[in-house]
């Protein structure tokens, strides 16, 4: 297995496709997706465009859908939900499909949707993602951070590092054998430094600060937890993820 980390969708190559690609948006899209699927959501369908989301979800039975729209950290008016994982209770999401569009996370997933295996990861479901990699042993794995409007996000790279760190610990591969690019080495170093204080890292991150200004302290707390959800969000058809438990 060779692992490559790309900090943003914009930095991700477009002329090749890996066997397995993983989108990461710790704050908060992939954390929300894992939460919905762990709580019994039927599927998560991602859109970069809000109008497309509204048009497509309109064809879905009303009682079986939830529409989530986030821009700039806030809920889009008229949508059922914004992008807080804390709103996604089993009572609300069970048996329903989440149609979701967020500023960066859904774009990252769309960027990698042609890979053979497409996953969504966050700290909350890191162990499930690592277990899948160890079982399937894909030859090439890309982890793509969502970033913020084209620039680097501390928390997404730290989560990519958490995945890489755990693969090294649980496989016979050394860091040198696993790393396909320099980003892997630096992501592991970042995670290693902060692994005992991920909430502190989220407070330091620029998007964490943006969310704190929007009074999302509890979201940061939730998103900083590692390995609390045993769920693997895996793409079933382009743009549609289901939860493998
Ligand atoms: O950028 C995104 O996709 C979102 O996760 C941003 S937010 O955390 O909902 O503000």
């Amino acid at each position: 297995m060779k692992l490559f980390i790309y900090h943003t969708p914009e930095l991700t190559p477009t002329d090749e496709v890996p066997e397995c690609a993983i989108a990461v948006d710790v704050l908060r899209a992939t954390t929300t997706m894992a939460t919905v699927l762990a709580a019994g959501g039927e599927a998560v369908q991602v859109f970069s465009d809000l109008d497309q989301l509204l048009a497509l979800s309109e064809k879905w039975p009303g009682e079986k859908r939830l529409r989530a729209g986030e821009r700039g950290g806030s809920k889009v008016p008229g949508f059922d939900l914004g992008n807080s994982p804390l709103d996604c209770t089993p009572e609300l999401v069970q048996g329903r499909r989440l149609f979701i569009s967020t500023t960066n996370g859904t774009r990252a997933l769309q960027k990698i949707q042609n890979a053979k295996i497409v996953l969504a990861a966050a700290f909350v479901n890191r162990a499930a993602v690592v277990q899948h990699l160890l079982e399937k042993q894909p030859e090439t794995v890309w982890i793509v951070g969502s970033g913020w409007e084209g620039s680097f996000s501390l928390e997404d790279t730290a989560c990519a590092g958490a995945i890489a760190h755990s693969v090294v610990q649980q496989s016979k591969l050394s860091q040198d054998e696993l790393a396909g690019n320099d980003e892997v080495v630096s992501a592991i170093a970042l995670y290693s430094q902060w692994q005992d204080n991920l909430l502190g890292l989220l407070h330091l991150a620029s998007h964490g600060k943006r969310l704190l200004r929007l009074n999302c302290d509890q979201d940061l707390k939730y998103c900083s937890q590692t390995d609390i959800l045993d769920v693997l969000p895996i793409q079933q058809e382009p743009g549609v993820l289901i939860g493998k438990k």
Side-chain angles (χ1 to χ4, degrees):
M1 188 192 315
K2 271 286 177 206
L3 175 66
F4 298 77
I5 293 175
Y6 300 104
H7 295 312
T8 64
E10 288 75 9
L11 289 169
T12 305
T14 47
D15 53 352
E16 45 184 320
V17 181
E19 189 177 345
C20 174
I22 305 169
V24 175
D25 186 9
V26 170
L27 295 175
R28 294 166 292 177
T30 53
T31 302
T32 296
M33 291 172 197
T35 302
V36 166
L37 294 171
E42 178 261 333
V44 169
Q45 188 159 358
V46 300
F47 296 82
S48 47
D49 185 79
L50 290 166
D51 291 330
Q52 264 179 22
L53 183 161
L54 289 173
L56 215 134
S57 61
E58 200 52 45
K59 300 183 183 136
W60 208 257
E63 72 285 1
K64 294 252 175 225
R65 74 169 180 236
L66 280 169
R67 292 156 159 171
E70 169 276 329
R71 288 294 179 268
S74 300
K75 174 173 171 287
V76 178
F79 279 65
D80 303 313
L81 297 167
N83 189 22
S84 173
L86 299 178
D87 291 337
C88 302
T89 58
E91 298 71 40
L92 183 69
V93 305
Q94 212 141 42
R96 298 170 104 176
R97 177 170 294 207
L98 184 77
F99 295 85
I100 183 169
S101 177
T102 68
T103 312
N104 305 286
T106 51
R107 279 189 318 121
L109 267 164
Q110 287 187 324
K111 183 88 187 203
I112 59 171
Q113 68 182 10
N114 292 330
K116 195 167 146 205
I117 306 169
V118 175
L119 308 174
F123 287 122
V124 289
N125 70 331
R126 185 269 308 254
V129 170
V130 169
Q131 195 188 332
H132 186 81
L133 295 179
L134 296 173
E135 272 169 28
K136 301 286 172 196
Q137 293 287 334
E139 220 163 88
T140 313
V141 180
W142 291 1
I143 305 182
V144 176
S146 300
W148 185 266
E149 295 181 339
S151 49
F152 173 88
S153 275
L154 209 48
E155 66 280 8
D156 293 340
T157 297
C159 182
I163 295 168
H165 183 265
S166 185
V167 170
V168 169
Q169 278 193 329
Q170 294 186 57
S171 70
K172 292 193 184 92
L173 292 171
S174 67
Q175 177 172 296
D176 194 22
E177 286 166 328
L178 180 70
N181 60 5
D182 288 357
E183 284 86 334
V184 175
V185 179
S186 72
I188 291 175
L190 178 67
Y191 172 71
S192 301
Q193 185 180 341
W194 286 93
Q195 59 182 320
D196 297 325
N197 185 16
L198 290 173
L199 182 57
L201 180 79
L202 299 191
H203 276 252
L204 198 64
S206 56
H207 186 48
K209 290 185 173 141
R210 188 178 292 112
L211 289 172
L212 288 172
R213 286 195 293 273
L214 294 168
N215 299 319
C216 297
D217 315 47
Q218 293 307 315
D219 284 43
L220 263 65
K221 247 189 207 163
Y222 179 79
C223 295
S224 71
Q225 299 174 96
T226 306
D227 305 339
I228 56 163
L229 301 177
D230 188 16
V231 69
L232 182 76
I234 185 164
Q235 183 173 267
Q236 192 187 35
E237 59 182 91
V240 179
L241 297 131
I242 56 163
K244 237 172 134 182
K245 290 190 185 164

